[in-house]
Amino acid sequence: MTNKDFYSAIENRRSYYGISSEAVVSNERIQEVINHAVKHTPSSFNSQSARVVVLTGENHTKLWNITTETLRKIVPAENFGSTQDKMNAFGSGYGTILFFEDNTVIESLQKQFPLYAENFPVWSQQSNGMLQHVIWTSLELEGFGASLQHYNPLIDDEVKKEWNIPSGWKLIAQMPFGKPTAPAGDKEFAPLEDRVKFYN
């Protein structure tokens, strides 16, 4: 990949909310892309604490059914229409990636390096964010559209029960993905001179 391709990939990564279940690449290719991202995304102290679960087919549908029913219990019925529309949109995709952090790894590092104990949970979140970005961009390069959602901790218990997730894994985010059926929305950028400073 050339530098131009790298910069274009970062620029073209967007949030897609209109997605379909049509296959863009094989499940084997999806696995290859995600494995590569998980293996090569950096982590503090090389902790490699990020964990990923990929749901497709009926498992993907089940996740958004669980999320829908969980939200139905707390969102007033008269306001549930827009929530249902969101759930339908996410559920209409090809799959969902669940991002976790393994707290047992983080706790072990806290014991080994007590001076940095408070920092390890923060660093793990930063690393997980990098992984989310790498996978998101990689999926887009393969022709998928995706978005990042956060229905944790509302769905944590049901998710762990349904897919036999280890108790030490903490759910961080959900990434529904599929073939784009509508363009990404417009994006505005704040002035870079307000966000970046150079001292040469």
Side-chain angles (χ1 to χ4, degrees):
M1 176 181 284
T2 66
N3 284 342
K4 184 177 180 181
D5 291 333
F6 175 73
Y7 295 134
S8 296
I10 293 174
E11 181 178 342
N12 292 333
R13 189 238 24 98
R14 298 295 305 281
S15 293
Y16 284 88
Y17 299 103
I19 53 177
S20 78
S21 60
E22 184 177 346
V24 175
V25 297
S26 67
N27 284 346
E28 289 75 20
R29 177 57 180 164
I30 294 171
Q31 183 174 344
E32 180 181 353
V33 165
I34 291 175
N35 281 344
H36 187 273
V38 171
K39 183 176 181 179
H40 294 290
T41 298
S43 58
S44 66
F45 286 64
N46 196 30
S47 61
Q48 303 175 59
S49 58
R51 304 288 182 263
V52 168
V53 173
V54 184
L55 305 175
T56 59
E58 293 180 0
N59 287 292
H60 161 73
T61 302
K62 188 175 293 184
L63 172 73
W64 294 107
N65 287 341
I66 288 172
T67 308
T68 300
E69 295 312 310
T70 300
L71 293 174
R72 195 186 304 279
K73 298 173 184 175
I74 60 176
V75 177
E78 61 270 20
N79 299 332
F80 197 72
S82 60
T83 298
Q84 184 69 68
D85 290 342
K86 284 184 180 179
M87 297 300 102
N88 291 344
F90 301 144
S92 67
Y94 186 82
T96 302
I97 301 163
L98 304 179
F99 294 89
F100 297 84
E101 279 294 312
D102 188 342
N103 280 334
T104 61
V105 174
I106 298 166
E107 290 165 3
S108 175
L109 286 167
Q110 289 176 313
K111 292 176 181 177
Q112 291 180 61
F113 306 98
L115 185 63
Y116 303 119
E118 292 183 2
N119 290 338
F120 282 115
V122 177
W123 291 337
S124 78
Q125 291 279 348
Q126 292 170 346
S127 179
N128 204 286
M130 286 190 279
L131 177 61
Q132 293 163 28
H133 186 261
V134 172
I135 289 180
W136 196 345
T137 305
S138 299
L139 288 174
E140 187 131 343
L141 283 170
E142 296 298 323
F144 285 113
S147 67
L148 194 64
Q149 306 302 321
H150 300 90
Y151 290 100
N152 44 291
L154 295 173
I155 62 172
D156 290 24
D157 291 342
E158 283 289 321
V159 166
K160 285 186 174 183
K161 180 180 177 182
E162 183 63 39
W163 288 284
N164 196 30
I165 304 297
S167 60
W169 291 19
K170 180 180 180 181
L171 184 60
I172 305 298
Q174 307 85 51
M175 185 178 287
F177 66 95
K179 182 176 181 180
T181 58
D186 293 333
K187 187 174 185 179
E188 296 182 358
F189 297 92
L192 286 175
E193 56 266 27
D194 295 340
R195 304 170 65 192
V196 184
K197 295 185 182 298
F198 290 92
Y199 297 95
N200 297 318

